[in-house]
Amino acid sequence: KGTGLGLSTVYGIVKQSGGFVYVDSIVGKGTTFHVYLPRYIPDTDEDPVAAAPIKDKDVQAKAADLTGTGRVLLVEDEDVVRSFAVRALTRQGYEVLEASDGQEALDIVAEHKGAIDIVVTDVVMPNISGPSLVSALRARKPDVRVLFVSGYTDQLELDSRDPHAAHVAKPVTRSALLKHIATLMGQSDT
């Protein structure tokens, strides 16, 4: 659909993995991307691909309970990203209504009888952008909670005084997504 987030997503994944991306570009000749990832060195010879278990009990104790309840309207035009988010949310106990664009989201809201607890929406989408969608939704329900998800953080200006809205940058990890939703819904201790 041409939102241009492919390189942004690759860059984020590589950086989260401790790697680097370098670009060589020559006008008229082409562009080459060099992706460098850290080398995996197994701890034992017995099972070279198994990760070592976490031994620090403090680290395990600090792991947050990310289960939640509520109905989430998820709006994302990239099928792979939407599928990832739906799986992450449903596994943690949320009911998910999914839409591939802003218009489909508005149709779901018009047809849906129950309350929607939070809207998780991409910012840059074809036809109706995330902020335009939220404006239309807030005309009906001014205090709707919203989590904007975008690779274009410089294009989104949130009112910092709005307690019902937050932003998370793509690529977003499962735990970051769940923590932001829990915080906005008042289900988080942090």
Side-chain angles (χ1 to χ4, degrees), residues 24-44:
D24 291 325
S25 185
I26 301 172
V27 177
K29 297 270 183 175
T31 302
T32 303
F33 291 88
H34 301 275
V35 178
Y36 297 92
L37 296 170
R39 180 177 167 197
Y40 173 77
I41 301 172
D43 290 337
T44 67

Side-chain angles (χ1 to χ4, degrees), residues 56-75:
D56 186 349
K57 290 181 183 176
D58 292 334
V59 172
Q60 289 176 337
K62 290 181 184 177
D65 177 12
L66 299 175
T67 56
T69 59
R71 189 170 293 121
V72 177
L73 174 58
L74 175 68
V75 190

